[in-house]
Amino acid sequence: MSDDTARTQDPKEPRARGGGHCVVLGASIAGLFAARVLSDTFDRITVVDRDALTETDENRRGVPQGRHAHAILPAGTRGLQEMFPGLLEEFESGGVPVVREPTEMHFAPGGHLLCQEGRYVDPTPTYQPTRPQLEGQVRTRVRELPGVKIIDRCEAAGLLSTAGGARVTGVRVVEREGGAARELAADLVVDATGRGGRTTRWLADLGYEPPREDRIAVDIKYVSRTLRLAPGALGRRKVVIVGAEPGRPTGATFLQHEQDRWMLTLIGYGGHHPPTDPADFLEFAKPIVPSDVFEALCGAEPLDDPVAHRYPASVRRRYERLERFPGGLLVFGDAICSFNPVYGQGMSVAALQAAALRDCLGQGRDRLPYRFFRAAARRIEVAWQMAVGSDLALPQVEGDRPLPVRLTNAYFERLLTAAERDPALTREFVKVSSLLSSPLILLNPVTVGRVVLGNLRRPARQR
Ligand SMILES: Cc1cc2nc3c(=O)[nH]c(=O)nc-3n(C[C@H](O)[C@H](O)[C@H](O)COP(=O)(O)OP(=O)(O)OC[C@H]3O[C@@H](n4cnc5c(N)ncnc54)[C@H](O)[C@@H]3O)c2cc1C
């Protein structure tokens, strides 16, 4: 991935319209991003979701992760900016916290608190709306696009195809109230139904092989609750992220969403799951977060009960490797690749997939699935390797650790150690973990030199 991978074309740029009707299954973040891009070339887009989609920014059944800490990385923020001009400005003027300076962020991946001095050179800041707020605002904008219609409370039940299944021609949907079934004819169907990914089963019905799946069984549990924090209790900090480390397979994310409203998410890998009992929940945070943060948590007012979410495994479906795939069908978002959520990559990778789709559509619709899956795989690869590599640094996660993984993890450990005191290294690492830059920038001679020196300069007892 190069530095400009996240860059998409200007949404105002005139585009050749190919006409036709496209049905997008799933009106969550990936489905909405896909609809936004497709609206540039298709005349009509119908987005179908089985949930009731209200106008308010509420949590809903189909997106249970909305009750937990959600951060959109700078690569995703760039995508939002390009697809929905004005959205970020509206967030900011509406009071959504924005992180611009290292002092506003306590970021401790793998047991290393990154340097809080200096400035981030890259101008893309981090916006912290709640997940329902983000999805609600994006949905409102997609609904306003010409030719777009969103149908809710309607379940996608199967694909329609030409005889022999060479081409998908639409989708069969069932209304959740009353159970009426109907058929929606389409020139293109996009499956954005999330990690459950209906397409694998539907492919078998049409006589195709399903894609191979890569899996990393992380066995993660999230437990979250919303808290009201005394103003200024954490000084300038607007976000606290403490990642797991080999000796402690637990972590925490504490995000400011409004002036005094914060979301605390505690995370634990297999055998170290956080409890949902309120008192035990707070106790679980104690060895993870800095002591002043723990003190602030003890004085905070809970606004809801702790709620849990289990995440068994990261799953990557290798659609780009299939030799046979029907025309008129794409798979998008988590349905292609669902990442361990602790790295906060899912929505940003959906934005990168949207950029890939825009580029592919710019070259016409011929062999679109093959071209799109390959382009999407290139965007997914870096994020997947980083997430899997970090998970495999934890002994609790099962999986092979070939030499390149062990070497990379050993280097990252030293890089993070040096980055504790080095603002330049912190900046480079943040660019990579934000999906803005290729990890290769961390191997340039200047960076490697800083890593070596940073480790040599540590006090002998730490070395
Ligand atoms: C606990 C947790 C925390 C996360 N934290 C982050 C984070 O901090 N940052 C980040 O970027 N990402 C995060 N993610 C990932 C992020 O939520 C997803 O990547 C993002 O929502 C894009 O997913 P999606 O739209 O492909 O699928 P989903 O969000 O799962 O949505 C699927 C949609 O399809 C609908 N649907 C399903 N089946 C059908 C059907 N048969 N017919 C019609 N509709 C259907 C559902 O109702 C839903 O609306 C997290 C995920 C989890 C689980």
Side-chain angles (χ1 to χ4, degrees):
M1 189 173 64
S2 68
D3 265 13
D4 61 357
T5 312
R7 240 166 265 150
T8 55
Q9 294 164 27
D10 183 350
K12 293 181 198 111
E13 208 176 278
R15 235 166 281 277
R17 296 188 74 87
H21 179 214
C22 178
V23 174
V24 178
L25 307 175
S28 178
I29 289 294
L32 295 170
F33 285 176
R36 165 66 191 85
V37 168
L38 291 160
S39 73
D40 285 335
T41 53
F42 282 80
D43 284 336
R44 283 192 307 128
I45 320 285
T46 306
V47 186
V48 177
D49 202 285
R50 63 182 178 185
D51 270 1
L53 304 172
T54 58
E55 287 303 320
T56 52
D57 303 333
E58 286 171 359
N59 280 300
R60 59 189 181 89
R61 201 162 157 240
V63 185
Q65 67 266 39
R67 296 286 308 273
H68 302 272
H70 252 72
I72 186 149
L73 302 175
T77 306
R78 276 194 187 173
L80 283 176
Q81 211 156 17
E82 287 157 8
M83 287 186 277
F84 307 100
L87 175 66
L88 298 173
E89 289 77 0
E90 229 170 83
F91 276 148
E92 190 162 9
S93 61
V96 167
V98 185
V99 176
R100 290 200 164 84
E101 307 290 336
T103 48
E104 295 172 326
M105 177 155 138
H106 175 111
F107 183 24
H112 301 275
L113 173 59
L114 297 187
C115 183
Q116 290 172 295
E117 292 160 21
R119 292 181 64 87
Y120 292 138
V121 170
D122 190 282
T124 312
T126 307
Y127 292 74
Q128 297 185 173
T130 62
R131 162 66 205 234
Q133 195 178 9
L134 173 61
E135 186 185 308
Q137 293 297 321
V138 168
R139 191 162 64 236
T140 300
R141 279 169 174 73
V142 169
R143 216 190 277 278
E144 287 164 357
L145 293 168
V148 173
K149 183 174 172 192
I150 300 182
I151 304 178
D152 66 353
R153 287 167 291 182
C154 196
E155 178 136 10
L159 297 173
L160 310 173
S161 71
T162 51
R167 188 168 184 87
V168 168
T169 55
V171 59
R172 194 159 40 80
V173 297
V174 178
E175 283 174 21
R176 294 202 85 177
E177 276 161 37
R182 59 188 163 127
E183 296 187 345
L184 300 175
D187 301 289
L188 179 67
V189 174
V190 179
D191 173 9
T193 53
R195 64 178 268 126
R198 306 296 179 279
T199 296
T200 46
R201 206 177 55 230
W202 291 338
L203 278 180
D205 296 343
L206 295 180
Y208 290 85
E209 290 290 318
R212 201 193 84 197
E213 280 185 4
D214 295 342
R215 269 179 177 262
I216 296 287
V218 287
D219 186 15
I220 278 195
K221 187 172 176 188
Y222 268 48
V223 179
S224 304
R225 100 182 288 190
T226 315
L227 302 167
R228 177 169 290 133
L229 211 60
L234 289 188
R236 285 178 59 79
R237 283 164 294 177
K238 297 174 182 171
V239 55
V240 175
I241 300 174
V242 182
E245 53 182 292
R248 176 186 43 74
T250 57
T253 297
F254 194 34
L255 274 180
Q256 185 187 29
H257 284 315
E258 285 168 28
Q259 196 60 25
D260 58 353
R261 218 179 150 89
W262 291 65
M263 162 91 71
L264 173 63
T265 291
L266 301 181
I267 299 152
Y269 284 77
H272 302 266
H273 288 166
T276 46
D277 172 78
D280 297 343
F281 174 75
L282 194 59
E283 225 21 58
F284 190 88
K286 197 172 181 179
I288 304 173
V289 297
S291 54
D292 67 322
V293 175
F294 184 69
E295 237 170 76
L297 293 178
C298 292
E301 177 196 349
L303 299 175
D304 54 18
D305 290 326
V307 57
H309 185 91
R310 288 288 290 267
Y311 184 90
S314 305
V315 178
R316 181 176 182 189
R317 302 193 173 100
R318 308 306 299 253
Y319 283 102
E320 78 281 9
R321 295 190 177 164
L322 286 176
E323 282 175 12
R324 288 180 66 238
F325 195 82
L329 177 65
L330 294 183
V331 186
F332 203 87
D334 281 19
I336 302 185
C337 187
S338 161
F339 298 90
N340 178 350
V342 304
Y343 306 110
Q345 297 168 319
M347 297 189 292
S348 299
V349 173
L352 295 178
Q353 289 181 33
L357 180 57
R358 190 193 300 271
D359 292 349
C360 290
L361 285 169
Q363 290 154 23
R365 297 184 189 170
D366 196 32
R367 293 172 56 82
L368 184 62
Y370 292 94
R371 290 188 291 116
F372 170 69
F373 288 137
R374 275 204 300 273
R378 282 196 294 277
R379 264 79 166 184
I380 289 168
E381 178 66 16
V382 172
W384 177 260
Q385 290 303 342
M386 286 201 312
V388 168
S390 302
D391 283 335
L392 290 176
L394 302 174
Q396 291 77 10
V397 175
E398 284 178 20
D400 290 340
R401 291 161 174 82
L403 188 62
V405 170
R406 282 180 279 141
L407 286 177
T408 309
N409 280 342
Y411 179 66
F412 265 92
E413 171 62 23
R414 282 155 186 79
L415 181 129
L416 291 174
T417 302
E420 289 177 18
R421 289 151 184 257
D422 187 334
L425 281 182
T426 291
R427 217 160 36 229
E428 296 297 90
F429 175 77
V430 168
K431 275 201 256 172
V432 171
S433 61
S434 306
L435 306 178
L436 289 174
S437 294
S438 158
L440 292 177
I441 66 165
L442 302 177
L443 291 177
N444 79 43
V446 175
T447 305
V448 174
R450 296 186 85 103
V451 170
V452 172
L453 274 181
N455 279 270
L456 287 175
R457 281 191 191 133
R458 271 185 315 151
R461 103 186 104 74
Q462 278 181 28
R463 282 206 300 276

